[in-house]
């Protein structure tokens, strides 16, 4: 039995549960409980505040955790990042009131900065040789300058909308973050097999995201040209159709280039193009 800690509510909860579900690890929706058990997999879920996750993994109360890289960095807990998970992307930045004529980092010298990430900030400032007063507040950091609590803030930014609506401007991105899978430094041998299975499943789900399966019919004389438009995991599958002079091509395409590829394929005579979701990719 392996124990995985995830956020009990908040921004990473839903995506963490979805990753498990897509990996065939179904846990009853027991969010209000502290511990949940997967029905068909030797895994127990611990639902925690995200701040607590790195610590419980470091001390072995949980074997694994899904948490933002920012929380791992802030906690300083002795854990290993096993995988980046590709969701919960954000950055942690310094932001100042928008009317400030910002000359560069020296502006922060001697000023006060409100944040929920005092360790990351103090490491950054000392690396840059800036001394500033760090005021730790747990929430609503973005209102601190308007409320006269601090001159600037150091906080999570994703679209920047919250900053703008609070009259602030991002001036220094300091750290990129996303959800990561963390583990302790020595996973006991008897849990290794389950861990490998979790990783295998997570990787297959991750690999399939942003991909589409595409199939089409095309005049056989155009197959070479079509293949050059279709990078595939190995190479596209080509099969003759019963109809003389026609072939069928199957391939996998990244979402990001799907429409460009389909348009080019149509231009060279592809017909009956089908585009399907990819559920899992097993290499
Ligand atoms: P908890 O109650 O568990 O302590 P919290 O309020 O500290 O939750 P959330 O706001 O739920 O934290 O954010 C959890 C994590 O999600 C953050 O640590 C960060 O990694 C990521 N995150 C936060 N804000 C954003 C955002 N705007 N866009 C993308 N990811 C974000
Ligand atoms: Mg938190």
């Amino acid at each position: 039995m392996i124990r995985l800690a995830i956020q009990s509510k908040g921004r990473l909860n839903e995506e963490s549960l979805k990753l498990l579900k897509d990996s065939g690890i179904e846990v009853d929706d027991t969010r209000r409980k502290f511990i949940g058990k997967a029905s068909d997999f030797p895994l127990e879920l611990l639902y925690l505040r995200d701040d607590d996750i790195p610590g419980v993994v470091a001390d072995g109360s949980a074997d694994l955790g899904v948490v933002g890289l920012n929380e791992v960095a802030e906690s300083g807990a002795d854990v290993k990042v096993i995988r980046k998970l590709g969701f919960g992307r954000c950055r942690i930045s310094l932001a100042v009131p928008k009317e400030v004529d910002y000359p560069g980092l020296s502006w922060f010298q001697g000023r006060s900065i409100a944040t929920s990430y005092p360790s990351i900030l103090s490491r950054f400032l000392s690396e840059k040789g800036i001394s500033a007063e760090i005021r730790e507040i747990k929430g609503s950091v973005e209102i601190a300058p308007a409320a006269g609590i601090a001159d600037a803030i150091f906080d999570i930014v994703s679209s920047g909308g919250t900053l703008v609506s609070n009259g602030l401007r991002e001036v220094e991105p300091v750290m990129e973050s996303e959800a990561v899978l963390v583990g302790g430094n020595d996973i006991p041998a008897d849990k290794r097999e389950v861990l490998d299975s979790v990783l295998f499943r997570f990787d297959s789900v991750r690999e399939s995201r942003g991909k589409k399966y595409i199939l089409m019919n095309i005049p056989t004389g155009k197959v070479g040209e079509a293949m050059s438009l279709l990078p595939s995991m190995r190479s596209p599958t080509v099969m003759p159709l019963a109809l003389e002079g026609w072939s069928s091509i199957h391939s996998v395409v990244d979402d990001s280039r799907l429409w460009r590829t389909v348009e080019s394929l149509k231009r060279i005579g592809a017909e009956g193009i089908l585009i399907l979701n990819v559920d899992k990719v097993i290499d």
Side-chain angles (χ1 to χ4, degrees), residues 50-55 57 65-83 92 117 119-120 123 175 177-183:
D50 69 346
D51 325 50
D52 295 329
I53 294 176
V57 172
V66 173
V67 65
L69 192 57
N70 52 317
E71 293 295 336
V72 177
E74 179 61 26
S75 71
D78 187 16
V79 294
K80 206 167 51 185
V81 173
I82 302 176
R83 287 289 190 280
I92 314 194
Y117 298 98
S119 313
I120 300 174
R123 246 177 285 149
M175 180 187 176
S177 180
E178 67 183 273
V180 292
L181 179 72
V182 292

Side-chain angles (χ1 to χ4, degrees), residues 83-158:
R83 287 289 190 280
K84 292 187 169 178
L85 297 174
F87 59 88
R89 286 214 171 88
C90 57
R91 56 190 185 278
I92 314 194
S93 300
L94 283 160
V96 303
K98 65 176 190 306
E99 57 280 5
V100 166
D101 185 12
Y102 183 72
L105 270 179
S106 62
W107 185 85
F108 289 97
Q109 183 66 37
R111 306 216 188 232
S112 58
I113 308 169
T115 187
S116 313
Y117 298 98
S119 313
I120 300 174
L121 179 58
S122 84
R123 246 177 285 149
F124 174 76
L125 293 175
S126 69
E127 250 168 50
K128 301 291 179 188
I130 304 281
S131 75
E133 187 193 334
I134 297 176
R135 303 216 165 131
E136 182 176 356
I137 50 177
K138 294 285 184 201
S140 308
V141 171
E142 64 284 354
I143 61 143
I149 296 169
D151 299 316
I153 68 162
F154 176 62
D155 201 11
I156 287 181
V157 181
S158 57

Side-chain angles (χ1 to χ4, degrees), residues 3 21 24 26 28 47 52 56 70 73 79-80 102 116 128 132 140 151 177 208 215 228 245 252 254 257-258 269 271:
R3 204 181 242 193
K21 185 163 187 275
E26 295 267 4
D28 318 328
Y47 298 96
D52 295 329
V56 300
N70 52 317
V79 294
K80 206 167 51 185
Y102 183 72
S116 313
K128 301 291 179 188
S140 308
D151 299 316
S177 180
S208 71
L215 49 156
S228 68
V252 174
D254 276 339
R257 47 184 302 159
L258 181 70
E271 291 180 3

Side-chain angles (χ1 to χ4, degrees), residues 95-98 141-143 145-146 151-153 160 162-170:
V96 303
K98 65 176 190 306
V141 171
E142 64 284 354
I143 61 143
D151 299 316
I153 68 162
T162 311
L163 290 184
V164 172
S165 60
N166 285 283
L168 299 167
R169 179 161 67 95
E170 179 180 13

Side-chain angles (χ1 to χ4, degrees), residues 17 26 32 47 61 74 130 198 202 219 224 233:
L17 287 169
E26 295 267 4
R32 257 158 282 169
Y47 298 96
S61 312
E74 179 61 26
I130 304 281
V198 169
F202 280 13
M233 283 185 286

